[in-house]
Amino acid sequence: MLRYRSFFVLIGMWILPVCLVTVIVAAWSMGIFVQNTARDTIQKALRTQIRFVEMNIPEGRLEDQIDGLQDLCFKMRDFSDCHVTITRLNGDVLADSHTQPWKLMNQAHQPEMINAKNDSSGMGLAIRSDPDTGIKHYYLASQIARDGKVLGFIRVSVPRTGSMSSPIKTIVSLLFLLAVSVISVRYMIRKHLVEPVHSMTLAADEMTANLQQKFLTADYKSKELSDLAGALERVTEKFRDRLRMEIRQKRQLETMFRSMVDAVFVVDNQECILRYNQAATSLFQAGETDISGRTILEVIRNTQLHQFIRKTLSRNDPQEDEIVFHGYEDLYFKATGVAIDDGEGTIIGAMVVLNNVTRIRKLERIRKDFVANVSHELKTPITAIQGFVETLLDSDLVEADSALRFLRIILKQTRQLHAVIEDLLSLSRLEQTSMNGDIKMDVLSLESVLSAAVASCETSATEQSVILRVESDSGEIPGNRTLLRQAVVNLVDNAIKYGPEHSEVIIEGRISPQKVTIRVIDNGPGIPIEYRERIFERFYRIEKSRSRDLGGSGLGLAIVKHIVQAHHGHVTVQSEPGRGSIFTIEVPLKSIETPDAE
């Protein structure tokens, strides 16, 4: 209890003298009340004089109306006992009520001028002796401002009367005693209260800036301060542990949030975006632009997404739906949304997760199409074979010529089945070798590859009266001879089948330092734009009945695409209905490993 008592005893020993001095000063302060009142009255009068002078200064530059300013100062001298001076902004005197302006020196160094220039109110007060008479004067200076621009200063002064300047020794003595008492009390309070609290504040600031900083406590003489310091130390230690845990969890969540492949974003109940990850930035095509604070409608226009967000914001249970983003290529997303409340049941926003399932939907579509197409491709010839075989079994009803025709049809359908199966096996082998990367590469002559492909198609070209013309650079390229020849044969064979009679098919080969380019140019019916993206899919046909009649399996272009991909290249088509087609194979030379490169 010693510290507890010593603190209040210490304060009490100084508070009592201060109270006594305060009473004495209050009694004697009545003596100077009149002096203070008179001084305040003079200051108010000086302000009134300044306002009057300022109101009578015309608009425009002060330098252009010096005579008018001088007349105004003389009128003020006759009107009152004030001494009026008007100066430029730099302190040069423009007009004075008691002497000629050119006789006065620059007034910028006077304290009232300095105060008026620096004070936010634009006024400055000073009590000082007149340099000529030695009599103390009240000086009040004010800025002359027009449209926010300071043009100069007005200064008004009056002499200090004897009643106000007479010293009162007793009051001065009491004021001195009061000052000593206040200083003593302040010193003791600062020593025993302010400095300890200040040291605690500094320690808290250092701890805030550096979490590793210890909250050091001193040996305070007051028990209250010691207990307070100990409590602060315990609180800061708990705060430090909690803050570290919060920072660690926040960093973990930020890392998880940024690294998620799914698009995640948070909106408020006005559908304004609050947070989003990198996947959402790519989806919204925001680039480097910060989309925080913008509404979903501003960022992306998708009716399904907007309806899904509104539905999520209106319900407390999680919502799921599939959303399609239409564009050059449709994107499918599985959307999951959950409402965010404020802890009291009021929904304040929602978090939406968009999982890209486009690849899954494409694979499902390809699987369905593949099953349907394979079933159709196999069912048609098998049905024909079955029907003709059953007819042949009834030999009494079939003539020799009809039986021969049936057998030819059976042979044709059997060959069609064989072609489909062979193409399916080729596709399977291509996919396997491309995946394993074990395709055999040789150094080939581009001209010989194209010539061999044309030679394989000469018979069908002759039957259709189609001219095949090869335009090729001479040079060697790396690649698989059999596969490249098969890719070119498939393209040329399609050009012959679907082209008109007596037309020309050009097979063009070009070699550049970076790639080899093979083009097959025909004069066929062309391919509508809506079919160009799908013609390289398995079993996809534009005119199904005509393709089947021509003996195609529907896998030729799919095989071409996989052969080119096995060579790390790509195949494209340029076509307009009625103007023919150009199929282009491009294979990069540097990306193909050859035996020589090893």
Side-chain angles (χ1 to χ4, degrees), residues 396-415:
D396 296 337
L397 300 177
V398 179
E399 299 179 356
D401 293 339
S402 298
L404 182 61
R405 182 170 60 86
F406 291 163
L407 289 174
R408 287 173 179 168
I409 295 174
I410 291 173
L411 178 61
K412 179 181 178 182
Q413 297 296 335
T414 305
R415 287 175 177 172

Side-chain angles (χ1 to χ4, degrees), residues 153-202:
F153 295 93
I154 302 172
R155 183 181 66 189
V156 180
S157 66
V158 293
R160 188 177 181 182
T161 62
S163 60
M164 291 188 294
S165 61
S166 60
I168 305 176
K169 296 182 180 180
T170 305
I171 295 178
V172 172
S173 300
L174 289 175
L175 290 176
F176 177 75
L177 179 60
L178 178 61
V180 172
S181 301
V182 171
I183 291 173
S184 301
V185 172
R186 183 177 180 276
Y187 172 77
M188 297 303 296
I189 293 177
R190 181 178 180 83
K191 182 69 175 176
H192 296 281
L193 181 63
V194 176
E195 289 184 356
V197 174
H198 183 64
S199 64
M200 293 182 193
T201 304
L202 291 178

Side-chain angles (χ1 to χ4, degrees), residues 239-498:
F239 171 76
R240 184 185 294 112
D241 294 339
R242 181 64 179 270
L243 188 60
R244 287 172 179 167
M245 182 177 66
E246 296 270 351
I247 292 175
R248 183 168 59 252
Q249 291 178 350
K250 182 179 179 181
R251 288 175 178 172
Q252 291 174 351
L253 290 175
E254 288 290 342
T255 302
M256 294 172 58
F257 189 70
R258 289 194 303 268
S259 60
M260 290 181 66
V261 296
D262 296 335
V264 183
F265 59 92
V266 180
V267 298
D268 60 15
N269 51 15
Q270 301 299 322
E271 300 185 26
C272 293
I273 299 174
L274 302 178
R275 297 196 64 187
Y276 55 94
N277 65 350
Q278 184 60 40
T281 303
S282 302
L283 177 63
F284 297 149
Q285 298 180 352
E288 299 297 329
T289 305
D290 186 9
I291 59 176
S292 298
R294 299 172 63 184
T295 63
I296 285 291
L297 189 61
E298 293 180 81
V299 174
I300 188 169
R301 296 186 179 275
N302 186 291
T303 305
Q304 284 184 289
L305 179 60
H306 300 159
Q307 293 176 349
F308 178 77
I309 292 175
R310 294 192 187 99
K311 183 179 177 182
T312 303
L313 289 170
S314 63
R315 303 184 182 181
N316 290 320
D317 54 326
Q319 303 296 315
E320 290 187 359
D321 199 354
E322 184 168 293
I323 297 174
V324 182
F325 287 79
H326 298 287
Y328 179 76
E329 181 180 3
D330 291 345
L331 300 177
Y332 296 83
F333 290 89
K334 178 183 178 183
T336 304
V338 59
I340 303 173
D341 60 34
D342 59 357
E344 298 180 356
T346 302
I347 295 177
I348 59 174
M351 182 176 72
V352 179
V353 180
L354 298 177
N355 180 22
N356 194 336
V357 294
T358 304
R359 181 177 176 81
I360 296 175
R361 294 293 175 267
K362 284 185 177 180
L363 292 176
E364 289 178 353
R365 179 174 58 81
I366 292 173
R367 178 182 59 81
K368 291 178 182 178
D369 292 346
F370 179 76
V371 172
N373 288 325
V374 168
S375 301
H376 188 73
E377 293 294 334
L378 297 180
K379 180 180 179 180
T380 300
I382 288 176
T383 301
I385 292 171
Q386 181 181 357
F388 288 117
V389 169
E390 289 175 353
T391 303
L392 290 174
L393 290 175
D394 191 0
S395 57
D396 296 337
L397 300 177
V398 179
E399 299 179 356
D401 293 339
S402 298
L404 182 61
R405 182 170 60 86
F406 291 163
L407 289 174
R408 287 173 179 168
I409 295 174
I410 291 173
L411 178 61
K412 179 181 178 182
Q413 297 296 335
T414 305
R415 287 175 177 172
Q416 179 71 14
L417 279 175
H418 182 267
V420 172
I421 294 172
E422 283 295 323
D423 286 344
L424 284 173
L425 291 175
S426 297
L427 274 176
S428 178
R429 285 192 296 268
L430 282 171
E431 290 177 344
Q432 187 67 26
T433 54
S434 299
M435 187 179 302
N436 297 334
D438 54 1
I439 182 173
K440 183 180 179 182
M441 308 296 289
D442 297 310
V443 178
L444 313 173
S445 169
L446 176 60
E447 193 173 10
S448 64
V449 171
L450 299 183
S451 298
V454 169
S456 300
C457 301
E458 282 182 350
T459 301
S460 58
T462 302
E463 293 175 356
Q464 292 290 111
S465 301
V466 174
I467 300 173
L468 301 179
R469 179 159 57 92
V470 178
E471 297 178 359
S472 175
D473 294 340
S474 299
E476 295 182 337
I477 62 170
N480 184 288
R481 183 185 300 275
T482 303
L483 294 180
L484 285 179
R485 174 182 170 275
Q486 183 180 359
V488 177
V489 167
N490 287 359
L491 293 179
V492 174
D493 187 57
N494 281 347
I496 295 172
K497 288 179 181 178
Y498 299 104

